[in-house]
Amino acid sequence: MFGNWGKIMEVDLTSHEGRFQEVSEAVYKQFLGGSGLGTKLLYDNVEPSVDAYSPENVLILATGPFQGTTFPGSAKWMAISKSPLTGTFCVSGAGADFGPKLKSTGFDAITVRGRSDSPIYALVTDRGLEVRDASHLWGKDAIETYEILREELADYSPSIVTIGPAGEKQVAIACLAVDGHSFAGRGGLGAVMGSKNLKAVAVSGNQRVDTAHPDQLKRLIRELSSKMLKNTRDTYHRHGTANDVMFCESVGDLPIRYWAGDTWPEGAQMIGAPRYTEYLSAKPNPCFGCPVGCHRWITWKNDEKVLEGPGPEYESLGMLGSNCLVDNLDIIAEANDRCNRLGIDTISAGAFIAFSMECYERGLIKAEDIGDVSLRWGDGETLLELIRQIGLRKGFGAIFANGIREAAEQIGGDAANLVVEVKGMDLPAHDPRAYFSLAINYATTTRGADHTHAFPHAGELGVLIPEAGYDEQGEKFSMEGKAKLAMLFQDYGVVVDSLVVCNMMSLNGLSLTEKLKALNLITGWGFDASTLMEIGERGFNLQRLINLRDGFTRDDDRLPARMFEPAKEGPRQGKAPEGFEESLTEYYQLRGWTAQGVPSPEKRKELGL
């Protein structure tokens, strides 16, 4: 077949053995690869009774048909597993060089199950699997581990996924670090790796997958790469995602004071572009073959320290910065670096700390509960210290080891009513009171509050999908049409994550038609847009079925109470997603689900599930 190998490497860490699994072309035509293929593998291999930390849980690292080409955004790859944070389906994506390097091994995906009786790392090449001792790496931070293995495996020129101390200690927000500068952040998949005593996965190979129409594909890739650079030259190429901070604040989208604040223009100016770019000497740090290069490489110095490495992204600036009222870029850059090295999700880390600050302000946390930490808004030293405690599962920060819900229960009082999460997943740095489509999306996405694997707020900003029937922006601050918008972008998000291609391309003008054209040139399948969207719908419904068998119901399709509190000032003054329940019912109807949110027998039959 073209575009895919039809082979998966299955790694059993209990026996330290690997074996090949063949996958038919029919499966790829149903699920493409990446998120879709990973969803099927998770559904087929992990029973609902299996705990996220059980040896029987499976961690899947998956590519799609776009990997192995130089299509813009095709450095991306997807990690799929049962999440220790939510207890159900999780997908998280990253870039760097891992997607293309994994594809060059001659495998489309790696599945990992079992548990080693001692720390190890896995090396997957086009010759198969090697399991190697990692006792010398245990306890090292995620970036240091990468640097050691890069030297140790220099002959292979590998791409490497690592975990930090948080993954080893099974902190439920532990992430996967890739080549020291890209991160699969959400859902705690680093903790799944840690529970298996797996410190790293390195991939290297020399295989090149065939494509159906290579010459036409090369011409299309050149054309689209030029288009992506042109569309982002003065925005994301120049400033990275720090470009978005001031804009998001201006429309009421930036999280402020644990979602209780309304405006913060001076602070946004301090931490966003262009000041970010100038102050941190930020330069593009592109993933493999990317014309945009939205990741930043920063060089920051003062009288005491030198910090060089991956800089904070928009989400980190929002959650570690504005959400905690910290406007000091020195502190935020150091906090981001500390999260990266410990291997924890900056979104949830920032949420935990801002939540703690509010609980302290309200008297729910006492001084004697926190030792020497000062839980006051804007305190940068507190931010740094609590990141350390959370990542090392020590001190006050240890109460967050299993997520914010359990922490709120331990704090007691009214803390549980203050928590801003969906299905156990902390909200990312986009506010559903600014984009009402996010209200339905956050409530119903299959991994918990999610903005990257379904990005309907982009639709409210003018990113249309005319091929799928979304060809006109709806009215802002109205729930009308938002159920359909959320549904379409959720399905589209599965398509994007299954091809696999970076969201940054979709957000900057790469259309569904252009992705479809590339897919057909790669595979020779001759699909149309409706077929592609049906694949997305199939994948999303299968993820929903995983949620349901893990015990989730309509009651879990909700928003935290704070998201119904209108702003007192600013661009969303007096606005909140009123009519949410009616819109949720409409969403179920549009999806062909029952009133309780269960895909109907007719819908399952239609999708071949």
Side-chain angles (χ1 to χ4, degrees):
M1 70 183 82
F2 295 112
N4 294 295
W5 294 112
K7 286 195 303 182
I8 292 171
M9 166 60 76
E10 294 186 334
V11 178
D12 187 330
L13 293 180
T14 304
S15 64
H16 289 195
E17 293 178 341
R19 61 181 179 270
F20 304 165
Q21 175 187 350
E22 292 189 356
V23 181
S24 71
E25 189 170 28
V27 171
Y28 292 99
K29 286 185 173 181
Q30 279 192 306
F31 295 99
L32 294 177
S35 173
L37 177 62
T39 299
K40 176 170 171 53
L41 292 171
L42 189 70
Y43 185 89
D44 290 346
N45 286 281
V46 179
E47 295 296 326
S49 59
V50 171
D51 182 78
Y53 293 139
S54 165
E56 295 308 307
N57 191 18
V58 175
L59 175 66
I60 302 149
L61 313 178
T63 66
F66 279 15
Q67 282 60 58
T69 74
T70 56
F71 191 85
S74 65
K76 201 84 171 181
W77 57 282
M78 309 309 296
I80 303 96
S81 189
K82 175 176 272 192
S83 164
L85 189 65
T86 65
T88 191
F89 171 84
C90 182
V91 58
S92 192
D97 291 354
F98 196 83
K101 288 277 189 178
L102 171 53
K103 200 64 170 273
S104 74
T105 64
F107 301 104
D108 297 317
I110 300 169
T111 65
V112 182
R113 71 164 68 245
R115 176 184 293 138
S116 174
D117 57 7
S118 61
I120 55 94
Y121 72 89
L123 172 63
V124 177
T125 70
D126 43 16
R127 289 173 292 189
L129 169 71
E130 288 184 55
V131 174
R132 298 188 177 187
D133 176 61
S135 56
H136 62 302
L137 302 170
W138 209 251
K140 305 288 187 187
D141 74 44
I143 295 176
E144 186 180 11
T145 299
Y146 164 69
E147 291 168 346
I148 292 170
L149 285 179
R150 183 178 57 181
E151 294 299 317
E152 198 170 299
L153 300 172
D155 290 345
Y156 292 90
S157 260
S159 181
I160 308 169
V161 171
T162 64
I163 61 170
E168 297 173 7
K169 296 176 184 296
Q170 294 172 39
V171 176
I173 61 166
C175 66
L176 307 178
V178 193
D179 296 342
H181 74 92
S182 185
F183 301 86
R186 309 234 65 196
L189 302 191
V192 174
M193 268 184 68
S195 74
K196 297 180 179 299
N197 274 328
L198 179 62
K199 183 65 173 177
V201 178
V203 291
S204 175
N206 295 296
Q207 306 300 307
R208 291 184 61 85
V209 68
D210 289 334
T211 57
H213 304 284
D215 293 337
Q216 291 173 257
L217 180 64
K218 286 178 184 176
R219 288 195 292 271
L220 178 64
I221 287 172
R222 284 197 298 269
E223 173 190 326
L224 296 180
S225 294
S226 176
K227 173 182 175 179
M228 287 297 98
L229 177 57
K230 180 181 178 181
N231 287 358
T232 61
R233 191 185 303 276
D234 295 324
T235 54
Y236 298 110
H237 182 76
R238 183 178 180 187
H239 296 298
T241 55
N243 178 80
D244 291 345
V245 173
M246 291 177 63
F247 171 76
C248 288
E249 193 282 333
S250 73
V251 297
D253 189 32
L254 189 70
I256 301 165
R257 201 182 177 112
Y258 199 54
W259 307 97
D262 298 333
T263 62
W264 201 58
E266 297 84 3
Q269 187 173 15
M270 288 292 289
I271 68 175
R275 183 174 184 271
Y276 172 102
T277 303
E278 298 160 357
Y279 188 79
L280 297 175
S281 300
K283 302 291 189 296
N285 187 26
C287 300
F288 172 83
C290 179
V292 177
C294 69
H295 291 320
R296 298 292 95 177
W297 189 265
I298 63 171
T299 305
W300 165 72
K301 302 177 183 179
N302 66 14
D303 294 337
E304 300 175 359
K305 300 174 184 175
V306 176
L307 177 62
E308 185 174 13
E313 309 282 345
Y314 167 79
E315 294 293 330
S316 306
L317 294 164
M319 299 306 291
L320 300 172
S322 59
N323 203 35
C324 300
L325 295 187
V326 173
D327 63 2
N328 185 324
L329 268 180
D330 296 344
I331 292 290
I332 297 172
E334 188 172 353
N336 180 73
D337 182 69
R338 189 166 291 189
C339 287
N340 292 345
R341 291 180 179 277
L342 289 166
I344 55 174
D345 172 24
T346 59
I347 294 175
S348 283
F352 291 176
I353 295 165
F355 169 70
S356 300
M357 289 173 171
E358 179 163 355
C359 286
Y360 182 79
E361 181 181 55
R362 289 172 176 258
L364 299 171
I365 295 174
K366 308 297 184 184
E368 57 267 25
D369 299 329
I370 57 177
D372 295 332
V373 178
S374 171
L375 280 175
R376 290 185 172 82
W377 295 108
D379 190 323
E381 293 305 318
T382 291
L383 180 70
L384 294 172
E385 173 58 19
L386 282 184
I387 287 170
R388 185 189 71 84
Q389 291 186 13
I390 292 166
L392 294 177
R393 201 167 180 160
K394 289 185 175 181
F396 172 74
I399 73 166
F400 292 102
N402 295 316
I404 203 164
R405 280 187 176 180
E406 186 170 309
E409 291 174 7
Q410 290 186 48
I411 292 169
D414 198 40
N417 296 323
L418 301 176
V419 172
V420 179
E421 52 80 20
V422 176
K423 299 181 175 73
M425 180 84 78
D426 306 280
L427 262 65
H430 292 284
D431 197 317
R433 295 167 296 184
Y435 300 108
F436 286 3
S437 63
L438 283 176
I440 292 297
N441 179 56
Y442 284 165
T444 59
T445 45
T446 51
R447 72 167 187 176
D450 180 1
H451 72 293
T452 57
H453 301 284
F455 36 94
H457 53 303
E460 296 193 57
L461 287 168
V463 177
L464 308 180
I465 321 175
E467 307 93 330
Y470 182 67
D471 53 10
E472 185 178 348
Q473 282 180 257
E475 183 183 344
K476 192 173 175 64
F477 297 129
S478 167
M479 289 300 289
E480 184 177 354
K482 298 305 191 293
K484 179 181 179 181
L485 177 57
M487 179 187 72
L488 286 177
F489 270 87
Q490 287 170 346
D491 293 348
Y492 186 35
V494 174
V495 171
V496 169
D497 289 345
S498 300
L499 286 172
V500 181
V501 60
C502 178
N503 283 335
M504 191 56 66
M505 306 304 129
S506 301
L507 297 174
N508 287 282
L510 191 66
S511 69
L512 174 60
T513 295
E514 289 164 331
K515 297 183 185 80
L516 175 65
K517 184 176 181 180
L519 175 67
N520 286 330
L521 291 175
I522 291 168
T523 62
W525 287 342
F527 280 178
D528 58 20
S530 62
T531 301
L532 209 53
M533 289 299 291
E534 183 179 292
I535 291 171
E537 184 183 11
R538 179 179 298 114
F540 190 87
N541 274 263
L542 189 57
Q543 292 170 13
R544 178 69 175 193
L545 291 173
I546 294 173
N547 291 160
L548 292 167
R549 75 179 188 179
D550 286 333
F552 288 81
T553 69
R554 176 173 178 144
D555 290 342
D556 297 292
D557 292 347
R558 58 167 186 78
L559 279 183
R562 181 154 288 175
M563 293 301 105
F564 296 102
E565 296 174 1
K568 296 180 175 63
E569 59 178 338
R572 51 180 175 78
Q573 182 178 0
K575 306 297 183 183
E578 297 176 4
F580 170 80
E581 286 296 331
E582 293 81 359
S583 189
L584 181 62
T585 296
E586 179 191 2
Y587 171 89
Y588 288 167
Q589 293 170 345
L590 290 169
R591 279 234 172 261
W593 295 356
T594 70
Q596 295 306 310
V598 179
S600 67
E602 295 79 14
K603 176 55 67 174
R604 296 199 299 270
K605 182 178 180 181
E606 174 190 326
L607 296 172
L609 297 174

